[in-house]
Amino acid sequence: MSDKSAEITGEERGGGKFPKGLVLRLFAYLVAGHLFAGFLYLLFMLGGQNQ
């Protein structure tokens, strides 16, 4: 038999850890998304007071 039938343990992908770039990108998107949502909320609150 060949070595290709060996059991895959997950070590090939970093031992189950997320790549550092993915974590940083996810954190940046979450922060940017919340800032954008807060900005829209502020716009609607200020726009509603002017009526």
Side-chain angles (χ1 to χ4, degrees), residues 33-50:
H34 280 86
L35 287 175
F36 183 67
F39 177 69
L40 288 179
Y41 178 77
L42 180 65
L43 284 180
F44 277 99
M45 291 302 293
L46 292 175
Q49 289 179 356
N50 288 336

Side-chain angles (χ1 to χ4, degrees), residues 5-22:
S5 62
E7 187 175 325
I8 298 174
T9 60
E11 292 180 8
E12 295 84 8
R13 297 189 316 171
K17 296 180 182 176
F18 286 107
K20 187 176 182 181
L22 178 64

Side-chain angles (χ1 to χ4, degrees), residues 24-41:
L24 290 175
R25 205 166 40 224
L26 180 62
F27 181 73
Y29 288 153
L30 286 173
V31 169
H34 280 86
L35 287 175
F36 183 67
F39 177 69
L40 288 179
Y41 178 77

